[in-house]
DNA sequence: TTTGTTTTGCAACTATGTTGCAAACGATTA
DNA sequence: TAATCGTTTGCAACATAGTTGCAAAACAAA
């Protein structure tokens, strides 16, 4: 249980610290995406704001979590699937934001269709965000 | 030329003011999407920050411009096409952000493919943002 | 347990965005 | 074109979000 978290950190050549363990735990328990402010609240004032920022940044760089662009311009972070953490490539699934309850879902099995870019444009990352009403609010 | 801008404002029951004219002009000249900070710089310190925020907000409400969610969590605004400004529906074209020069393009002729959502989810708006290298930086 | 490296927390700072209110401006009508 | 009324602006003050440098603390390795 705890070992999975420690292994994940070790695999990414990161020191195993309280804040990193705690933040990873939060993501695993949350299931969905979290905002910086969520983490700040959920971690119970234990860690400095700066530490959380830096931890999230590190996780993104290592491919442990990824960011999600949202319509209301808040950054969200979500755990990457195992296949993702291997390299520096990104998830290619669709994200869904519920306008009612505000929850963000990773629709892991809904893949982003390939888009044809005009000549001269090179794709590196593609994000598809759908907003509307989720299954709980419908 | 200038009349088009004034007409657009009048059609939306907005007073014709310097800041609104200037900001609309900037959008027309830019061709692509602009961030709040772009506008602040380009308008040459003439307008208060607050005025720009409020103007953009008003334009979004009236359907004159729309927001674009981006991966790096900056809000971008872009002019809506004529068909768009009629109602409260949104563009369904792809947006492209260049990692090098930072320019955002509205790829008007690249449409967002329909995505199949899981049962219970209802779509209201879909945004597709591609980042990479644009034709000028390639 | 010692040593060298990484990470944390603090302080101070910049950037971004919001609100209330009085003054200025724009539209309308006489 | 001047008076009036509603809208918009700028200011001040505030709230939130995010960054940086640096010394102290924690971690990993030997």
């Amino acid at each position: 249980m705890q070992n999975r978290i420690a292994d994940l950190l070790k695999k990414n050549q990161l020191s195993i610290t309280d804040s990193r363990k705690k933040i990873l735990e939060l993501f695993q328990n949350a299931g969905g995406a979290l905002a910086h402010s969520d983490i700040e609240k959920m971690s119970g004032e234990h860690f400095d704001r700066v530490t959380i920022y830096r931890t999230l940044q590190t996780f993104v760089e290592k491919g442990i979590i990824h960011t999600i662009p949202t319509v209301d311009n808040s950054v969200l972070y979500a755990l990457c699937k195992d296949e993702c953490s291997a390299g520096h490539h990104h998830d290619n699934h669709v994200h869904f934001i519920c306008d009612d309850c505000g929850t963000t879902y990773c629709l892991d099995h809904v893949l982003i269709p390939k888009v044809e870019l005009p000549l001269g444009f090179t794709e590196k990352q593609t994000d598809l965000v759908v907003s509307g009403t989720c299954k709980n609010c419908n």
Side-chain angles (χ1 to χ4, degrees), chain A:
Chain A
M1 229 18 177
Q2 279 291 70
N3 280 347
R4 239 190 291 153
I5 289 180
D7 288 350
L8 186 54
L9 290 172
K10 217 170 245 177
K11 197 171 69 180
N12 285 286
Q13 302 170 335
L14 294 173
S15 302
I16 298 167
T17 67
D18 286 349
S19 56
R20 286 177 180 163
K21 279 190 289 183
K22 180 72 184 172
I23 290 177
L24 275 185
E25 244 179 67
L26 287 178
F27 273 112
Q28 295 198 334
N29 295 338
L34 295 175
H36 172 95
S37 56
D38 294 329
I39 296 166
E40 209 167 330
K41 281 169 210 142
M42 292 167 80
S43 66
E45 317 276 331
H46 284 336
F47 309 112
D48 196 85
R49 260 164 21 87
V50 180
T51 301
I52 298 176
Y53 277 115
R54 289 199 266 228
T55 303
L56 290 172
Q57 227 168 272
T58 307
F59 285 175
V60 170
E61 276 161 22
K62 294 291 185 177
I64 298 172
I65 60 177
H66 63 282
T67 60
I68 308 171
T70 69
V71 185
D72 67 333
N73 190 43
S74 54
V75 207
L76 291 174
Y77 302 89
L79 279 180
C80 290
K81 296 283 159 244
D82 293 338
E83 324 91 62
C84 175
S85 61
H88 279 260
H89 61 277
H90 321 78
D91 277 320
N92 67 331
H93 60 265
V94 171
H95 291 111
F96 186 94
I97 303 169
C98 180
D99 291 330
D100 286 358
C101 65
T103 310
T104 298
Y105 298 83
C106 288
L107 304 179
D108 293 310
H109 38 289
V110 183
L111 297 183
I112 301 179
K114 262 261 157 312
V115 292
E116 282 286 338
L117 295 177
L119 216 66
F121 288 82
T122 317
E123 186 256 0
K124 212 182 82 191
Q125 175 167 359
T126 302
D127 286 276
L128 204 164
V129 182
V130 181
S131 60
T133 316
C134 78
K135 58 178 194 288
N136 293 327
C137 298
N138 239 337

